[in-house]
Amino acid sequence: MRLEKSLPREGKPIMTLSESASFDQAVRVLDSFQIEVPSWGFANTGTRFGKFVQAAAAFTIEEKFADAAEVNRLTGATPTLALHVLWDLPNGLDDVPEVSLLELRFGIRAGSINPNLFQEQEYKFGSLCNPSQEIRQRAVRHVLDSIEIAKRLGSRDLSLWLPDGSNYPGTQSIRKRIGWLEEALCEVHGHLLPDQRLPSEYKPFEPAFYHTDIADWGMSSHLARVAGPRARVLVDTGHHYSSQNIEQIVAWLLHTGLLGGFHFNDRRYADDDLTLGSIDPYQVFRIFHEIHSGQAVNGELEIAFMIDQSHNLKGKIEATVQTVVTAQELWLKAALIDREQLAVYQESCDLVAAEELFRGAFWRDVRPLVAAWRQQRGLPADPLAALKDSGYVERIGIERAGRVTMVNSYA
Ligand code: RM4
Ligand code: MN
Ligand code: MN
């Protein structure tokens, strides 16, 4: 059903009673759904084989803010921009005033602050887990500088990802490195403000290919407990082995109170950073169901939804809008599961009825509901079409073309 067909002349959707109850619920669900976009999602990124440069890709922090504002204008769901310290604030604290001005100018707030512990030559054998105390201290200092940046920008989350690990058996002491990591995280945690948090990603491999110091959610959970009460686990959906049950991990992290947030993306093979839901939308739905179930029990949950994608072939802004729209649809589908009825079927072990109810919610077409919500909120009913009509991508493609673009770094 296309929305326009269900609208009479004066623009009010014609709905049955149950549709209008769903719409009221949809308004609540979509009003409270926000997802953070990454600054690096607008930049030229590539694989280790090279980059295909796009004329419209953002290069400066100003351009990244402009693109984030365009996505927020179209979707109404992305008020914050994740920043990567060395890419976006190469001069550290000295760049904070410029970022603050950009926040005001574009109506987009700085979101999570991501220290960079993988770019410098010193980190060849690790950052917070490096056998050299001097290098570990240097890495800690960078994280502390990043916390200071987060404080000045009013950012809640200092989001950690380590490249640390080793490539060959016997070349590093796995156990000593656990101890160094515990020490570093405790020190860093001590510098957080009471309302700041320290979520840490885990990842089974890449760039290290034998052992990775924070390889899975068990290790990340342990470290969060040791580091302190504001440390959390960050689930990047691409950081799992194939066929791993991510929603079960999410359920455990909710149960243990350690779930800090997500980096959403999709994958087919490894950490592919593809568009959310492009390969397996059912998995995202299942993850969202666990979160809705968790929120039904505890309304106070603080979970950061973020996108961590690298659009190498697609247009960056189109892909980001597409991601946000997909996230909204899947979030709403999962919210509309009749959880009370599902619980009845689960308790009576009525397997087929339970599965059909669950699966049925996934197959429900919620696009007309999301479009109606957008119209009510003064947003374009079809954000991708509105992006096309706006000419934004062509305009920035012309403005940004021709300048010298660095093509030798990841972002
Ligand atoms: C990692 C991880 C981090 C990201 C880096 C560049 O795989 O997903 O979130 O910052 O890549
Ligand atoms: Mn990530
Ligand atoms: Mn990743």
Side-chain angles (χ1 to χ4, degrees):
M1 176 181 68
R2 300 271 304 157
L3 176 77
E4 302 85 76
K5 288 197 188 140
S6 67
L7 290 175
R9 290 259 146 72
E10 65 273 23
K12 282 191 194 131
I14 303 169
M15 292 181 189
T16 64
L17 258 184
S18 86
E19 276 171 349
S20 105
S22 295
F23 181 68
D24 292 344
Q25 196 185 347
V27 168
R28 283 195 302 276
V29 169
L30 294 169
D31 275 349
S32 60
F33 182 77
Q34 295 184 334
I35 190 160
E36 185 163 306
V37 293
S39 68
W40 53 98
F42 300 114
N44 274 318
T45 52
T47 68
R48 63 199 171 101
F49 302 104
K51 277 183 188 178
F52 296 106
V53 177
Q54 298 185 19
F59 185 54
T60 64
I61 176 101
E62 180 181 343
E63 290 168 352
K64 292 170 184 174
F65 265 90
D67 293 353
E70 181 65 6
V71 175
N72 194 40
R73 182 184 75 79
L74 294 163
T75 63
T78 63
T80 58
L81 178 67
L83 299 176
H84 226 292
V85 173
L86 291 189
W87 299 338
D88 298 321
L89 297 102
N91 307 307
L93 280 166
D94 290 347
D95 288 332
V96 167
E98 187 195 345
V99 173
S100 302
L101 286 175
L102 293 171
E103 287 183 301
L104 285 175
R105 183 167 145 208
F106 289 104
I108 293 288
R109 275 176 291 114
S112 62
I113 300 299
N114 296 252
N116 188 316
L117 298 170
F118 50 87
Q119 207 166 282
E120 306 298 333
Q121 292 300 313
E122 284 82 349
Y123 299 145
K124 184 169 178 182
F125 303 116
S127 59
L128 299 177
C129 310
N130 196 299
S132 149
Q133 195 189 17
E134 202 189 318
I135 296 175
R136 292 201 302 276
Q137 276 170 353
R138 182 193 157 127
V140 165
R141 270 199 307 277
H142 177 67
V143 178
L144 295 183
D145 286 348
S146 303
I147 291 179
E148 195 51 41
I149 290 172
K151 283 181 187 169
R152 301 238 189 126
L153 289 170
S155 291
R156 182 190 57 184
D157 288 341
L158 194 286
S159 195
L160 264 193
W161 174 71
L162 304 187
D164 296 39
S166 66
N167 277 1
Y168 298 98
T171 59
Q172 286 292 309
S173 165
I174 295 173
R175 293 191 58 191
K176 276 188 191 159
R177 291 170 72 106
I178 297 171
W180 293 328
L181 193 46
E182 289 178 341
E183 252 174 54
L185 292 181
C186 285
E187 181 177 351
V188 160
H189 189 283
H191 288 77
L192 297 172
L193 290 175
D195 57 353
Q196 282 189 307
R197 309 190 313 168
L198 183 70
S200 296
E201 286 181 67
Y202 54 89
K203 181 172 177 174
F205 65 89
E206 195 208 19
F209 291 110
Y210 164 62
H211 105 278
T212 292
D213 287 293
I214 314 180
D216 68 24
W217 69 281
M219 299 174 203
S220 185
S221 293
H222 167 81
L223 291 166
R225 285 198 191 91
V226 169
R230 291 184 302 285
R232 296 283 185 283
V233 177
L234 181 68
V235 179
D236 183 313
T237 46
H239 293 189
H240 300 88
Y241 290 114
S242 297
S243 86
Q244 221 170 336
N245 186 334
I246 301 177
E247 62 270 26
Q248 187 182 12
I249 294 172
V250 170
W252 272 87
L253 290 174
L254 283 163
H255 180 77
T256 54
L258 291 174
L259 181 64
F262 290 88
H263 273 183
F264 283 114
N265 50 62
D266 211 339
R267 52 78 64 74
R268 179 71 185 87
Y269 299 103
D271 189 20
D272 307 333
D273 284 343
L274 301 177
T275 307
L276 170 80
S278 57
I279 304 289
D280 188 357
Y282 195 37
Q283 181 182 70
V284 184
F285 171 84
R286 299 191 307 259
I287 291 171
F288 282 168
H289 166 65
E290 291 304 330
I291 299 169
H292 285 304
S293 305
Q295 284 181 336
V297 182
N298 175 4
E300 308 284 282
L301 285 176
E302 277 191 305
I303 304 171
F305 289 153
M306 300 178 266
I307 297 168
D308 185 5
Q309 292 176 175
S310 176
H311 309 294
N312 302 333
L313 304 179
K314 286 178 178 174
K316 282 131 204 329
I317 299 168
E318 294 95 314
T320 309
V321 170
Q322 190 188 27
T323 304
V324 177
V325 167
T326 306
Q328 288 174 315
E329 289 166 2
L330 289 164
W331 179 249
L332 180 57
K333 275 174 194 272
L336 295 179
I337 292 173
D338 184 344
R339 284 193 296 276
E340 269 176 38
Q341 185 61 55
L342 186 64
V344 171
Y345 290 146
Q346 288 174 343
E347 268 152 46
S348 59
C349 295
D350 196 340
L351 308 187
V352 173
E355 189 184 9
E356 285 304 305
L357 187 154
F358 194 74
R359 227 165 58 88
F362 175 69
W363 286 112
R364 177 171 177 181
D365 185 2
V366 296
R367 286 174 298 182
L369 278 175
V370 186
W373 169 77
R374 288 197 179 107
Q375 288 197 319
Q376 202 191 61
R377 291 286 172 257
L379 297 161
D382 181 343
L384 273 175
L387 174 63
K388 207 163 186 201
D389 294 346
S390 74
Y392 179 82
V393 175
E394 288 72 27
R395 193 166 67 248
I396 59 170
I398 294 165
E399 284 167 15
R400 297 175 187 178
R403 52 139 186 249
V404 187
T405 309
M406 272 177 43
V407 290
N408 59 347
S409 78
Y410 178 75

